[in-house]
Amino acid sequence: MPVPNKTIYVSDGDLPLFERAQRLAGGNLSSAIAKALKRWVDANEGLEGGFEDITVRVGLGAGRKVRFVGVLVGEWLDSSTRRTAAYHVYRGRSGKFVVHIERGAEWWSIDAEGRPAGWRGWVGVGDVRYGSAPKESTLEVVDSLEQLRDKVPAELYEMVERATRQPTVEELDI
């Protein structure tokens, strides 16, 4: 089957960029251009529909970046004496939900019996052991509100459920 052929004219100033893209794409510049155009079209169509380009970090410590097009529909912060958790729920253009959870670094101290060391841990009195865990972020995509219910605190679920009943963009003919 014949493959359609399109010619793209590149200015001399942009030629190094196209050569770098071709190297990074393993020699297939057409594939790199198609991926870039798809991302550009998705982002711009999303912006027209009230969505935003979202970038979050996922993994241990600094982790890696993950990017998608969506709209924030709810946030919730949960803190404890050892660790915080910030929940962010986004709705994607396809109607799926993205749950991004950022857990802060954790630190603890315990005494010789394995109980929390309390103030002794802070001042280093007695037989005290210390531990810590780095910050960590996770991202999960779910297909429906029902699947979201068990992934987030009940109060956040109610916020998201209310937000989904509102249109992302309302066109006024005035």
Side-chain angles (χ1 to χ4, degrees):
M1 180 171 206
V3 177
N5 188 13
K6 298 288 181 191
T7 302
I8 298 176
Y9 295 96
V10 179
S11 70
D12 288 339
D14 290 336
L15 195 54
L17 174 65
F18 276 72
E19 289 170 348
R20 272 182 49 209
Q22 186 164 4
R23 264 195 322 277
L24 290 171
N28 189 348
L29 184 58
S30 176
S31 172
I33 291 171
K35 285 178 185 175
L37 280 174
K38 180 183 182 331
R39 176 96 183 107
W40 185 83
V41 167
D42 284 348
N44 281 287
E45 284 179 346
L47 291 173
E48 289 173 3
F51 292 86
E52 300 175 29
D53 202 20
I54 311 287
T55 303
V56 296
R57 290 202 172 269
V58 176
L60 288 174
R64 70 185 191 284
K65 290 181 180 178
V66 175
R67 185 171 42 209
F68 57 93
V69 175
V71 63
L72 182 66
V73 289
E75 292 181 290
W76 185 261
L77 180 64
D78 186 10
S79 66
S80 69
T81 57
R82 288 172 47 169
R83 186 173 231 185
T84 61
Y87 293 78
H88 309 273
V89 178
Y90 303 89
R91 186 176 66 229
R93 288 182 55 213
S94 68
K96 294 181 181 182
F97 294 92
V98 178
V99 180
H100 180 243
I101 304 171
E102 298 173 282
R103 290 184 175 83
E106 184 176 10
W107 182 89
W108 64 91
S109 61
I110 57 174
D111 64 17
E113 286 80 40
R115 296 182 308 237
W119 66 269
R120 288 187 167 101
W122 290 103
V123 295
V125 174
D127 185 12
V128 178
R129 291 176 283 158
Y130 303 89
S132 67
K135 67 181 182 175
E136 178 180 15
S137 297
T138 59
L139 186 132
E140 186 174 353
V141 178
V142 297
D143 293 328
S144 66
L145 266 176
E146 192 56 41
Q147 290 176 341
L148 179 67
R149 184 184 304 272
D150 296 331
K151 309 284 183 193
V152 298
E155 298 88 349
L156 177 56
Y157 176 81
E158 290 172 16
M159 279 188 256
V160 171
E161 197 265 334
R162 272 194 322 271
T164 59
R165 286 184 259 156
Q166 298 177 6
T168 306
V169 174
E170 182 178 352
E171 299 274 345
L172 298 178
D173 185 21
I174 52 177

